[in-house]
Amino acid sequence: MTARNEPLVIALPKGRILKEVMGLMRHAGIEPEAAFDDPGSRQLRFATNLPHVSIVRVRSFDVATFVAFGAAQLGVAGNDVLMEFDFSEIYAPLDLGIGRCRLVVAEPAELRRSDNPVRWSHVRVATKYPGITQRHFAARGVQAECIKLNGAMELAPQLGLCRRIVDLVSTGETLKANGLVEVETIAEITSRLVVNRAALKTRPVEMNDWIGRFREAANAA
Amino acid sequence: MKKVGASGLLPAGLRDGLPPEAEWEAHVIERLMAGFAGHGYRRVKPPLIEFEDTLLAGPGQSLAPHMFRLMDPISQRMLGVRPDMTLQVARIAETRLRDVARPLRLSYAGQVLRVRGSQLRPERQFAQAGAEIIGTEALGADLEVILMAAEALAELGVRHVSVDLTQPLLAPALCQGLGLDEERARDARRALDQKDVAALRQAAGPAASTLEALMAAAGPAEQAVAQLARLPLPPPAADMAAELSDLVGRLRRAAPDLMLTADPGEFRGLEYQTGISFTFFARGVRGELGRGGRYLSGGESCTGITLYLDSILRALPPADGMRRIYLPPDCPLAKARRLRAEGWCTVQGFENVGDPAGEARRLGCTHHLADGEIREVGLA
């Protein structure tokens, strides 16, 4: 019944937090094959020191998709991604405390001085998070028209694409450099260990064991 | 090959069932229904469409966002296409079968339609098969329904079935006992549903530690109810925990090999449930195979199970190719009849062909009849 050897796929996000995530992975006893750290490698799926455990490295938004559909059983995703999709099949049982940042609404500094948010009925916003943005503004009775961008949101107000953006901010330097100021914080963001719902229900002992190992790793960090 | 063009296009989430899948689904439904009938459940057949306000009355309210609506040109009233059959069955029990002795056991199978598919089930139309037991509070009814469904799935050949048990009103009772206001309680329940510890801490503040312990009491059923028993629960929640523990014990004795998990804090999708609820999974299969639980209908306590055919078919090995035999034009009718009685599907040829084996293969047959003998077609 324990089915220890059933394949386990872990989906990890490419990019800035991967290094911190790998620290936790190693602490939890998972060491990927050498190609994982080779920047020249075109490989997408990696074996590990545990014969039944493999790692896939995908875009942060795709981590949630892989885990929601059960293609991966475990993953690491920010709550920005979880909020955007609101996947019903994902559990987020552990806050890993890494990748800390904020999801904010920002606009040009000169607009901020004359703007009165109470009078808004419609705003146009450039963002990677149309779902969160629409819900956030709808909750205060404002219709948000989202322009979906995949990066460099800060350019949009400068070039007249729209006046406001919703984006992740950690230090605030990028905003400042582009003449933008924060208007409000939508959410505090950290990375979470995520688990596929059916996997947790059908392989509870194994999954709880992994959650426990990552909890120890996160506490030790 | 002829070009199909846009005439084959169907609206999103709808599809044509083709052979062999359509045959296979019908066969699986038949076997499930036979299993329910064997346990004394009588079949009912509610209509596809009803008045909107009847479908949405009472517990049906939660299904409102899923329902297709149309206007009835005759009564000039709004109609809804059923998004689920459980509540129709409950309505039948409450109205036309109100005089029939309780507990009343009813079963049903049919197609349902939803405005939007879910993330895991993009289909807007899918088949349900289910069984309800109406008018009893006995825990034996919950036991019966769960065991009956587990048995039916096992008999179909679904492997590694597991049953997840929950008490959807336990978390709300605990939130109330902890003095959380409505908004905080709602956020806390949502966090419990997503097992999001960070969101739970934010929602529940100082009360979070008890709710966190509730969240942690999830996993193998015996372990989960033992953990639950150690929590300081206010009286209504404590009773629910005891009931859950009782059911786990009885299920374990009745089905020692059934994989049982419990997640007493979970609430998701159990919009109208009022007591012990359960979800069926199979290891490695995406989505739920079925779900059910306690609810109230017209003042009567009921429990039941709804199975989702699309998930069940995903959990089964691919449909066995049926034994199809090609019969040459001169095959006597009596012979064909005899073959069908033996379980063959016969495919009658109309013209003499040079290569009967090739003809059989062309028509998707596994065998052909030559000189009165059954021969395997084999690969080309």
Side-chain angles (χ1 to χ4, degrees):
Chain A
M1 278 270 273
T2 44
R4 271 269 147 197
N5 303 323
E6 224 171 303
L8 179 78
V9 180
I10 306 179
L12 299 181
K14 293 179 187 172
R16 68 190 170 92
I17 64 158
L18 188 60
K19 224 176 127 189
E20 280 179 282
V21 173
M22 286 320 293
L24 298 176
M25 291 280 286
R26 292 191 168 106
H27 197 284
I30 302 173
E31 181 68 46
E33 62 179 309
F36 190 84
D37 294 312
D38 171 8
S41 169
R42 308 286 292 258
Q43 213 171 313
L44 295 172
R45 185 172 178 176
F46 303 90
T48 68
N49 57 328
L50 304 173
H52 66 290
V53 178
S54 60
I55 298 176
V56 293
R57 199 162 55 186
V58 296
R59 282 166 176 269
S60 61
F61 275 67
D62 296 341
V63 168
T65 310
F66 273 77
V67 175
F69 284 85
Q73 288 75 36
L74 286 175
V76 172
N79 54 324
D80 52 333
V81 175
L82 300 178
M83 283 165 71
E84 176 64 18
F85 290 124
D86 199 18
F87 276 122
S88 59
E89 301 303 310
I90 290 187
Y91 288 137
L94 181 61
D95 186 344
L96 295 171
I98 58 177
R100 210 171 276 282
C101 55
R102 283 167 298 133
L103 188 66
V104 304
V105 183
E107 61 186 25
E110 70 268 28
L111 174 65
R112 182 84 184 112
R113 282 189 288 276
S114 61
D115 198 18
N116 181 0
V118 175
R119 300 177 66 103
W120 294 349
S121 64
H122 167 273
V123 290
R124 187 180 296 145
V125 185
T127 182
K128 209 161 117 183
Y129 303 94
I132 299 176
T133 304
Q134 253 150 16
R135 282 196 298 272
H136 174 74
F137 282 102
R140 39 194 273 194
V142 177
Q143 180 206 129
E145 176 193 338
C146 294
I147 299 175
K148 173 86 176 10
L149 294 179
N150 293 310
M153 253 66 66
E154 296 82 0
L155 279 176
Q158 267 180 47
L159 299 179
L161 197 56
C162 59
R163 296 194 293 180
R164 299 180 182 83
I165 66 169
V166 165
D167 198 11
L168 293 180
V169 173
S170 49
T171 60
E173 285 305 313
T174 319
L175 283 187
K176 212 168 148 195
N178 287 283
L180 299 170
V181 291
E182 279 177 43
V183 182
E184 56 185 336
T185 300
I186 298 179
E188 304 285 338
I189 308 297
T190 48
S191 291
R192 313 289 165 88
L193 181 73
V194 293
V195 186
N196 172 260
R197 178 166 176 247
L200 186 65
K201 300 294 190 193
T202 56
R203 298 159 72 175
V205 176
E206 186 190 355
M207 292 300 151
N208 281 330
D209 178 49
W210 282 115
I211 296 168
R213 288 207 221 179
F214 278 97
R215 180 174 294 120
E216 271 172 37
N219 288 342
Chain B
M1 209 173 290
K2 217 173 116 193
K3 220 170 162 183
V4 177
S7 63
L9 183 67
L10 293 172
L14 298 173
R15 60 195 294 183
D16 292 321
L18 301 180
E21 286 78 20
E23 298 156 346
W24 187 225
E25 180 182 284
H27 172 73
V28 168
I29 291 179
E30 224 169 272
R31 286 182 57 183
L32 288 171
M33 297 311 287
F36 296 158
H39 282 83
Y41 288 72
R42 308 293 302 271
R43 188 159 180 170
V44 291
K45 182 186 154 230
L48 205 52
I49 304 174
E50 287 193 35
F51 289 122
E52 179 191 29
D53 38 13
T54 339
L55 273 175
L56 296 185
Q61 195 58 53
S62 56
L63 296 169
H66 304 296
M67 197 165 75
F68 267 96
R69 292 162 170 88
L70 54 155
M71 169 76 88
D72 179 10
I74 296 174
S75 67
Q76 303 276 307
R77 284 172 66 187
M78 213 54 183
L79 305 181
V81 183
R82 64 183 180 211
D84 187 88
M85 292 180 74
T86 304
L87 297 172
Q88 290 188 300
V89 176
R91 174 184 57 71
I92 289 173
E94 191 187 326
T95 55
R96 269 169 274 286
L97 298 183
R98 63 181 179 276
D99 294 335
V100 178
R102 273 26 181 185
L104 175 61
R105 291 175 168 89
L106 297 175
S107 65
Y108 58 90
Q111 302 284 325
V112 298
L113 192 65
R114 298 194 173 172
V115 172
R116 228 172 268 114
S118 64
Q119 284 158 348
L120 283 193
R121 180 178 285 117
E123 291 84 8
R124 297 204 284 181
Q125 180 184 331
F126 54 90
Q128 292 187 337
E132 309 292 326
I133 179 159
I134 294 137
T136 173
E137 287 183 351
L139 198 59
D142 305 83
L143 187 74
E144 172 175 304
V145 168
I146 293 171
L147 289 175
M148 181 171 72
E151 207 173 283
L153 291 171
E155 267 170 27
L156 281 173
V158 182
R159 299 181 60 223
H160 305 302
V161 170
S162 79
V163 186
D164 188 49
L165 303 165
T166 184
Q167 266 287 19
L169 297 188
L170 197 150
L174 185 54
C175 287
Q176 202 180 18
L178 291 168
L180 296 183
D181 63 36
E182 211 167 296
E183 197 186 326
R184 282 176 169 277
R186 198 192 52 226
D187 290 347
R189 284 210 306 271
R190 199 178 143 74
L192 277 171
D193 258 356
Q194 299 178 328
K195 303 217 185 306
D196 186 337
V197 176
L200 184 65
R201 282 183 193 149
Q202 203 176 4
S209 65
T210 315
L211 289 168
E212 263 186 74
L214 175 64
M215 190 189 289
E222 283 83 354
Q223 205 179 310
V225 294
Q227 261 172 284
L228 192 59
R230 286 194 292 272
L231 283 182
L233 297 172
D239 293 345
M240 292 179 210
E243 191 190 29
L244 188 64
S245 170
D246 193 9
L247 180 65
V248 168
R250 291 178 67 175
L251 275 169
R252 179 53 70 226
R253 283 193 295 279
D257 296 328
L258 184 61
M259 164 109 159
L260 284 176
T261 58
D263 193 348
E266 193 160 85
F267 189 71
R268 66 173 59 215
L270 301 164
E271 294 91 351
Y272 51 76
Q273 267 72 6
T274 55
I276 287 179
S277 302
F278 43 87
T279 312
F280 279 78
F281 293 93
R283 202 193 299 147
V285 177
R286 172 157 49 89
E288 304 164 346
L289 302 187
R291 68 184 334 169
R294 281 272 161 196
Y295 58 97
L296 281 174
S297 166
E300 290 187 286
S301 187
C302 316
T303 187
I305 170 93
T306 303
L307 295 170
Y308 307 120
L309 270 298
D310 53 342
S311 318
I312 292 177
L313 294 181
R314 270 202 299 274
L316 285 172
D320 287 339
M322 293 236 241
R323 298 195 308 165
R324 285 162 67 86
I325 186 164
Y326 171 77
L327 305 181
D330 56 1
C331 174
L333 282 178
K335 174 75 178 166
R337 243 178 251 130
R338 205 158 52 241
L339 285 168
R340 283 194 290 274
E342 286 166 11
W344 288 93
C345 301
T346 61
V347 177
Q348 181 67 53
F350 299 127
E351 279 160 48
N352 275 312
V353 288
D355 171 18
E359 181 66 359
R361 200 179 301 119
R362 189 179 75 80
L363 293 172
C365 295
T366 50
H367 296 74
H368 71 113
L369 192 72
D371 310 324
E373 266 177 54
I374 296 169
R375 294 199 190 143
E376 219 166 305
V377 166
L379 298 172

